[in-house]
Amino acid sequence: MKKTHFFLSVLALGLFSSCQNNDEISNANPSQAEVHDKTVQVTNHDGRPFSTGNGSAYSKFVSGPGGGVLMQGFYWDVPDGGNWWNTVTDKLSAWSTAGISAVWLPPASKAQNGAYSMGYDPTDYFDFGNFNQNGSVETRFGSRAELEALITKAHTENMQVYADIVINHNSGGQSEANPYTGTNTWTNFSGVASGKFPRSYNDFYKNAYGNNDEGAFGGFPDLCHANPYVQDWLWGRDDSVGKYYKNVMKFDGWRFDYVKGFGPWVVNTWNLNVGGFSVGELWDSNVNTLESWANNANSSVFDFAAYYKMDEAFDNGNLNVLNDDMMWKRNPYKAVTFVANHDTDIIYNKMPAYAYILTHEGYPTIFYRDYEEWLNKDKLNNLIWIHNNKATGTTAILYTDNDEYVARRNGYNGNPGLVVYINSSSSWQERWVETNWSNQQIKDFTGNSTWYPTTQGDKWVKIQCPPNSYSVWSLNQ
C-alpha cells in the first residue's frame, strides 16, 4: 500500500521458481504446475511471440522449462469509476500469449472509502462490489460480476489469479464503547452488509488476548489473530475468507499485505488450511529476515534484498553488488523478484533490471505500468520468452566489475540454459566466458548482437554486449 496516501494506505511490506523444470515445482507454487492446455506458442527468430500482423496469431499460456512470470495487474490510484476489472480482463489474452502465467490483483473487497479506495482499508471481506455500503455498490475496480468474469477469463487463458489479502488491520467500523481502552473505538463491524465476519472490540488489540501483536499500522484497528473467532473467520470455517476466496471466487493464491504486522504463523496456518500459492510483503532488505520469515510462514516472499541491490547496481554504476546475498540465492522457490510495484519505484534504469530478474532464479514479477505504459513491450516480451524457455538450472556468476556482469544458467533436464551479459558502460564490451556447450553455435536471443559464435571444445567462447544494455546467449536452435 502507498506510504504517501495515509487514509487508504497500508505500507505494503511484504514462486515459483525458474531454476528447475515443472517436475520439481512444489505445491506451494502452483502457478506453473497446474497448466492444462498445451497449445504451442509460435515465436520468431529472436524468441518473441510471432504475430501475423492482423492480430490473429494467438496461443494460451503454456508453461515452458523456465516456468512463468507474474504480472502485477494494477498500480496505485488506477482510474476510479468501476472499470478496472474490465480493463484487466481485456488484456489477459495478450498477457497469456506473451508468457504471463499469473496476475496479482489489488484488494478486491469493499473498503472504507468505497468507490475511491484502493482496497487497503478493508471493511467487508465478502463485499466484492455487490452490496451498497460505504457510499457505493461497486468497488473502485468494478462489480463482483466483473471480477468473476476476469477470474474466469484468466483461467481460460491458463493463468492463475492472486488476491491481495489485507488482514493486519480493518477500517470503516462504527464507534463503540471499548472496556479494554476505556474509550470509544472504531471497532464495531457488526453491520457489515454481507453478514459475514461481524467484528467487535474484542477482535482487535488491545483486548482479552493482549495489548498488541507484532505491529499496527496507521492508527487503524489492529486485527487480533490470537482470537479463535478471528482465526475461524479468516481460514477455519468452510465460508471463511480464505476458503470463500478460493472455492467460491476461484482465486488461486495470495499476496499478503504488511506481514510485519503479524506473526509468520498466521500465513503458515492460512496456507495449511486454505492452500494455493502465497507471497508475503515483508519490506526488509535483510536477506536473513526474509529467509526466516519465508521458512516460518511456509510461503514465498518478495525479494527486497535483490530489489535494493539492483538499484545500487543499475542506477549507481556498481554491478559488483550483484555478487551480494539475495533471497533468490538462498531459496529461489520462495523468492519473488521485482523491479517496481505500486508502493515503490526507485530503480530508474529498469531494462537491465528486468533482464536480470528474467534470466535469474526466482519468480519474476512485471509491474503493470512498466509493461503497458513506460517501457518497450517488445523487449519485455522477448525477455519473458527467454525466461520461460531458456532460464533453467542453477546460476553461476562468471564475471563482475563496476560496469559488467556475466552469469550462466546451467540448464536442466535437457534444456541448455543461457549466459546473460549486462553492460552498464557507454561502449561495446567483449568477454571470453565458459558456457555449458562444446563446439556448438550460439546466438544472442535478444537480437542486440548479430554475432553467431561457435564455442570451443572446452566450452569457452567470446561474446559481446552493447553499451547500456544486455545480451542473452544460448544454443542457436
Side-chain angles (χ1 to χ4, degrees):
M1 76 197 41
K2 199 72 170 179
K3 292 182 287 183
T4 56
H5 293 259
F6 176 81
F7 185 70
L8 300 179
S9 66
V10 165
L11 178 58
L13 281 161
L15 202 81
F16 170 97
S17 165
S18 62
C19 62
Q20 304 286 341
N21 75 348
N22 288 337
D23 294 336
E24 295 204 356
I25 292 172
S26 70
N27 289 332
N29 296 313
S31 58
Q32 306 307 314
E34 297 179 355
V35 174
H36 307 295
D37 186 287
K38 297 302 179 185
T39 307
V40 176
Q41 184 173 49
V42 180
T43 60
N44 68 16
H45 71 283
D46 286 332
R48 290 171 292 203
F50 174 79
S51 173
T52 62
N54 60 10
S56 61
Y58 169 67
S59 58
K60 296 179 181 179
F61 171 78
V62 58
S63 181
V69 175
L70 172 63
M71 173 68 75
Q72 179 175 0
F74 66 101
Y75 54 92
W76 194 263
D77 281 350
V78 301
D80 57 31
N83 199 47
W84 190 251
W85 297 145
N86 293 332
T87 297
V88 172
T89 300
D90 289 344
K91 296 183 181 297
L92 291 174
S93 293
W95 291 353
S96 173
T97 301
I100 302 296
S101 57
V103 57
W104 153 30
L105 298 182
S109 64
K110 189 69 62 64
Q112 179 177 357
N113 209 25
Y116 301 99
S117 176
M118 283 297 295
Y120 291 96
D121 49 340
T123 297
D124 188 341
Y125 289 103
F126 297 88
D127 178 1
F128 300 95
N130 50 307
F131 292 103
N132 188 358
Q133 67 180 326
N134 293 357
S136 69
V137 175
E138 292 191 347
T139 67
R140 184 188 192 98
F141 314 113
S143 68
R144 174 172 176 152
E146 290 164 344
L147 172 61
E148 290 176 315
L150 186 163
I151 296 170
T152 298
K153 176 66 174 176
H155 290 162
T156 67
E157 300 294 339
N158 293 334
M159 299 170 68
Q160 293 201 330
V161 184
Y162 302 155
D164 203 315
I165 298 294
V166 184
I167 56 173
N168 176 71
H169 56 273
N170 291 168
S171 189
Q174 300 301 306
S175 178
E176 63 180 345
N178 188 329
Y180 295 98
T181 64
T183 64
N184 275 32
T185 52
W186 300 96
T187 49
N188 182 358
F189 293 82
S190 62
V192 289
S194 69
K196 293 181 177 294
F197 196 11
R199 285 144 280 163
S200 65
Y201 59 79
N202 203 41
D203 302 315
F204 299 89
Y205 290 107
K206 66 182 188 179
N207 58 8
Y209 298 90
N211 292 335
N212 58 271
D213 58 0
E214 280 75 8
F217 181 83
F220 293 120
D222 188 22
L223 199 59
C224 174
H225 304 92
N227 186 337
Y229 174 83
V230 172
Q231 296 176 22
D232 204 32
W233 267 111
L234 286 181
W235 58 70
R237 50 192 290 159
D238 289 343
D239 60 345
S240 64
V241 174
K243 291 177 183 176
Y244 192 93
Y245 279 46
K246 186 172 188 289
N247 300 327
V248 178
M249 299 302 294
K250 304 300 182 182
F251 281 103
D252 305 289
W254 329 104
R255 180 266 188 189
F256 288 97
D257 181 69
Y258 190 59
V259 298
K260 280 190 173 181
F262 45 88
W265 68 270
V266 172
V267 173
N268 192 349
T269 309
W270 175 297
N271 289 338
L272 289 172
N273 281 269
V274 180
F277 172 82
S278 75
V279 57
E281 185 218 19
L282 183 66
W283 200 322
D284 198 308
S285 63
N286 187 312
V287 67
N288 294 318
T289 303
L290 297 173
E291 183 184 34
S292 175
W293 185 90
N295 289 339
N296 286 309
N298 187 30
S299 173
S300 300
V301 66
F302 283 106
D303 195 346
F304 277 90
Y307 176 69
Y308 286 109
K309 293 301 179 185
M310 287 190 292
D311 178 49
E312 185 175 351
F314 302 124
D315 287 349
N316 297 294
N318 184 15
L319 270 59
N320 275 317
V321 301
L322 299 178
N323 288 307
D324 292 351
D325 206 359
M326 305 174 197
M327 183 61 196
W328 72 259
K329 297 182 182 183
R330 295 284 185 95
N331 188 340
Y333 291 105
K334 290 184 175 179
V336 177
T337 52
F338 67 102
V339 173
N341 64 30
H342 63 296
D343 274 330
T344 179
D345 192 5
I346 63 173
I347 298 175
Y348 175 77
N349 195 14
K350 287 183 175 180
M351 284 307 302
Y354 275 113
Y356 181 82
I357 69 169
L358 287 163
T359 56
H360 284 65
E361 293 166 83
Y363 186 6
T365 307
I366 308 290
F367 181 45
Y368 179 95
R369 301 199 82 170
D370 287 342
Y371 187 83
E372 292 292 343
E373 300 177 19
W374 293 339
L375 302 181
N376 186 308
K377 186 181 293 189
D378 288 339
K379 291 183 178 180
L380 285 173
N381 283 343
N382 170 246
L383 287 170
I384 293 168
W385 185 93
I386 289 170
H387 171 270
N388 291 357
N389 291 277
K390 301 293 184 182
T392 63
T394 55
T395 303
I397 297 176
L398 304 180
Y399 179 82
T400 60
D401 61 24
N402 283 345
D403 297 327
E404 296 176 68
Y405 173 87
V406 187
R408 182 180 69 229
R409 294 297 297 276
N410 290 317
Y412 182 79
N413 199 28
N415 184 276
L418 57 79
V419 173
V420 56
Y421 192 169
I422 301 175
N423 172 22
S424 65
S425 77
S426 58
S427 59
W428 281 82
Q429 298 295 331
E430 301 174 0
R431 191 155 299 281
W432 282 90
V433 296
E434 185 177 13
T435 71
N436 300 320
W437 321 293
S438 296
N439 301 314
Q440 297 189 72
Q441 188 182 73
I442 65 173
K443 73 172 185 179
D444 171 19
F445 276 81
T446 71
N448 290 331
S449 170
T450 58
W451 283 9
Y452 286 80
T454 298
T455 62
Q456 299 180 156
D458 61 1
K459 302 182 180 181
W460 283 78
V461 71
K462 182 188 282 189
I463 58 175
Q464 66 173 184
C465 188
N468 298 307
S469 190
Y470 54 87
S471 54
V472 183
W473 304 81
S474 190
L475 294 183
N476 184 17
Q477 61 184 32

